[in-house]
Amino acid sequence: MSTSTDTIQQLTTRLPELDWITEPLRLARLSQDFAWFSPVLKQALAGKRGEIAVRPRTEDEIRQVVAICAEHAIPITVRGTGTGNYGQCVPLHGGVILDMSAYNAFGWVRAGVGRAQAGIRLSEFDAHAKPLGHELRWLPSTFRSATLGGLFGGGFGGVGSINHGPLAAPGNVLGVRAMSVEPNPQVVELRGAEAMLMHHTYGTNGIVLELEVALTPTVDWTECIVVFEHFDAALNFASRMATAPGLEKKEVCFLGAPIPDHFTALAEHLPTGCHAVMVLVAPHSEDGLHALAAQHGGTVSYRKTADEVAASNKTLIEYTWNHTTLAALKTDKNLTYIQSGFDPSRHLAQVRALEAELAGEVMMHLEFLRTKEGAHNCSGLQLVRYTTEARLNEIMQIYRNHGVQINNPHVYIVEDGKQNNLDPEVVRIKERFDPQGLLNPGKLRSWGERESRATSSVTSASQPASA
């Protein structure tokens, strides 16, 4: 699928007032995300880019672009600020990059619920919400630049998921205002479970305009690092801290050696070869944290109050989740990562067994959280010393052999990554909101298979019957 130069020219001719981007370097940047975390995706997506980009500021501008694209069958790839890791916003078939970052107005906070346009940065959302006594329930480590719509379309959760689970947990995302891709685009409000059919689908089945999300009361979180000499002691502390019902926290991140050695900016707080646990804890729970650390032989090597974090503009959040991988890559370009989901009933045993089997090649990074069903668990973003794609696949299979789910971050097809078993209703929503299949084509296998079946049926019906 490609678009002629004349057709692309029609966009700028008919909509000259819009913010169009054609400069090659800017267009190349807007056609990328952090897929380079994966050496596999870096190669697979090399050279993929849109033919033109546009940065609409209003719903009407979005509608105008979408209408012309639908009229001329021009592919559309929706993006926020490009902080995803799986090539979500890398166009496979050219077309228009619909950059939503200027469609970013904050809406309101009412009774523990907030609403905003999809392009708002998560840090900006919280800046509006916190003076009103609330904050987002989850923050990815990219919160300074990541958008609300981007998190919904290609993200998982983040800091705060230890209390509220991932975005997919019922009650976190309450409503979505979405636009269809048609010559006469329709705007529809989806609520509850129906809204979640657009979650983590890489913008393939509808253009999300606004999101309504549940919030949590604001807390002035204290940030701490607890260091340990022994792997098991650190793991046991992290698990106990995560599940302690009376200790209020927003983040518990376990970093097995030698991961902390890569954090050069924190070197004075991280003894060489140590195992570390990063915690965001409520001030009234600090005494409990110190007592628990002492029980497990840990030392609190770093502590900053919320005021100190704000004054320094530096936060431990940016060493957790996928920023762990980013920080490590700054010192060792031969690293990559995997994503894993453990069995809540035996996650610590699985972690220990895999550490014993793969230590030295795979470095254990765990984020403690609640599953979308509510169980205490941990999710892994393990660092891997990359050698070959074949060995990377072997490592992921070893994890599966131990009963651990792999959410493969080295693929760009929706069904091959986190959504291992795609709900057929996701395709039904695409039929409703993208009947021509113009949104981020090539990323949703189930739609391609549907189109192939439809084409085969038409071809078969047109063949003359045998004599």
Side-chain angles (χ1 to χ4, degrees):
M1 185 185 296
S2 61
T3 308
S4 71
T5 302
D6 289 345
T7 301
I8 292 295
Q9 186 65 43
Q10 284 199 44
L11 291 166
T12 57
T13 300
R14 291 173 60 178
L15 302 173
E17 300 302 317
L18 271 62
D19 182 10
W20 295 101
I21 299 159
T22 58
E23 196 275 316
L25 289 178
R26 293 180 67 198
L27 191 56
R29 183 181 62 78
L30 290 171
S31 299
Q32 298 174 354
D33 60 13
F34 280 72
W36 57 267
F37 274 24
S38 162
V40 179
L41 289 180
K42 183 177 181 180
Q43 180 177 357
L45 299 174
K48 302 292 185 184
R49 64 177 60 190
E51 291 155 280
I52 194 169
V54 63
R55 188 171 286 125
R57 294 153 296 219
T58 67
E59 183 177 308
D60 188 57
E61 288 187 349
I62 298 170
R63 184 193 304 274
Q64 292 176 60
V65 173
V66 168
I68 295 178
C69 287
E71 179 184 338
H72 294 281
I74 302 172
I76 302 171
T77 301
V78 183
R79 67 170 279 133
T81 50
T83 59
N85 297 344
Y86 323 119
Q88 297 105 310
C89 65
V90 177
L92 300 180
H93 299 286
V96 173
I97 303 292
L98 187 64
D99 180 352
M100 298 288 283
S101 61
Y103 187 70
N104 56 18
F106 180 78
W108 44 259
V109 168
R110 301 171 190 160
V113 175
R115 191 173 181 106
Q117 292 176 345
I120 193 170
R121 295 181 185 230
L122 300 173
S123 55
E124 288 296 318
F125 189 108
D126 262 358
H128 286 286
K130 284 183 176 181
L132 302 174
H134 286 83
E135 62 189 29
L136 287 165
R137 288 185 170 184
W138 9 247
L139 282 181
S141 58
T142 53
F143 70 96
R144 293 189 198 271
S145 55
T147 64
L148 185 61
L151 176 63
F152 178 74
F156 171 76
V159 173
S161 292
I162 193 167
N163 299 317
H164 303 285
L167 269 74
N172 277 334
V173 177
L174 305 176
V176 168
R177 179 177 170 86
M179 180 180 289
S180 66
V181 180
E182 302 174 274
N184 182 25
Q186 304 298 305
V187 174
V188 179
E189 179 81 11
L190 304 176
R191 306 294 298 182
E194 192 174 33
M196 295 308 294
L197 294 173
M198 290 187 178
H199 170 50
H200 215 281
T201 56
Y202 305 176
T204 58
N205 64 349
I207 296 174
V208 173
L209 301 173
E210 297 178 8
L211 284 134
E212 187 174 313
V213 298
L215 306 176
T216 191
T218 300
V219 175
D220 292 327
W221 301 102
T222 297
E223 300 189 355
C224 297
I225 300 177
V226 188
V227 296
F228 298 82
E229 292 185 18
H230 303 292
F231 183 95
D232 278 352
L235 180 63
N236 290 336
F237 164 78
S239 177
R240 186 70 185 92
M241 184 71 204
T243 56
L247 299 182
E248 189 175 0
K249 59 270 175 181
K250 190 172 184 176
E251 168 72 354
V252 176
C253 168
F254 171 89
L255 301 165
I259 293 176
D261 294 346
H262 293 284
F263 297 168
T264 55
L266 295 172
E268 64 181 295
H269 309 286
L270 297 168
T272 302
C274 76
H275 309 280
V277 180
M278 294 185 172
V279 183
L280 268 65
V281 64
H284 60 260
S285 293
E286 272 196 79
D287 287 347
L289 178 148
H290 281 270
L292 205 58
Q295 290 172 21
H296 290 83
T299 301
V300 177
S301 64
Y302 176 101
R303 175 189 179 275
K304 281 190 177 179
T305 65
D307 287 342
E308 290 170 332
V309 170
S312 68
N313 201 32
K314 296 178 180 178
T315 169
L316 292 183
I317 291 174
E318 291 176 299
Y319 290 90
T320 66
W321 293 86
N322 262 320
H323 260 65
T324 300
T325 308
L326 181 61
L329 280 167
K330 290 179 180 178
T331 61
D332 188 343
K333 302 298 184 185
N334 295 315
L335 297 175
T336 188
Y337 74 120
I338 57 175
Q339 295 181 158
S340 52
F342 293 85
D343 182 337
S345 67
R346 56 192 178 107
H347 56 284
L348 297 187
Q350 289 174 321
V351 168
R352 291 189 181 98
L354 286 161
E355 173 69 9
E357 186 167 349
L358 294 169
E361 186 177 15
V362 179
M363 291 161 267
M364 196 63 69
H365 167 202
L366 305 172
E367 296 289 345
F368 284 81
L369 44 67
R370 302 288 290 273
T371 68
K372 68 177 189 280
E373 295 80 20
H376 291 284
N377 199 9
C378 56
S379 179
L381 294 97
Q382 293 86 350
L383 297 182
V384 178
R385 298 191 189 282
Y386 183 74
T387 52
T388 66
E389 183 178 355
R391 178 54 183 165
L392 184 61
N393 288 329
E394 287 176 1
I395 290 169
M396 289 189 283
Q397 187 57 49
I398 290 169
Y399 267 70
R400 295 186 187 102
N401 293 344
H402 282 267
V404 177
Q405 178 180 319
I406 288 291
N407 300 321
N408 191 347
H410 303 282
V411 293
Y412 58 77
I413 302 294
V414 170
E415 291 93 331
D416 293 344
K418 182 173 178 289
Q419 296 220 31
N420 296 293
N421 298 303
L422 189 74
D423 186 341
E425 290 297 295
V426 169
V427 178
R428 182 185 67 79
I429 285 288
K430 184 171 178 68
E431 291 172 352
R432 177 180 174 187
F433 282 88
D434 183 26
Q436 295 174 253
L438 297 177
L439 284 172
N440 211 354
K443 302 283 181 65
L444 193 66
R445 178 182 295 111
S446 300
W447 179 262
E449 292 172 347
R450 170 194 175 281
E451 294 288 272
S452 296
R453 288 194 299 272
T455 301
S456 297
S457 297
V458 171
T459 302
S460 298
S462 66
Q463 298 299 316
S466 7

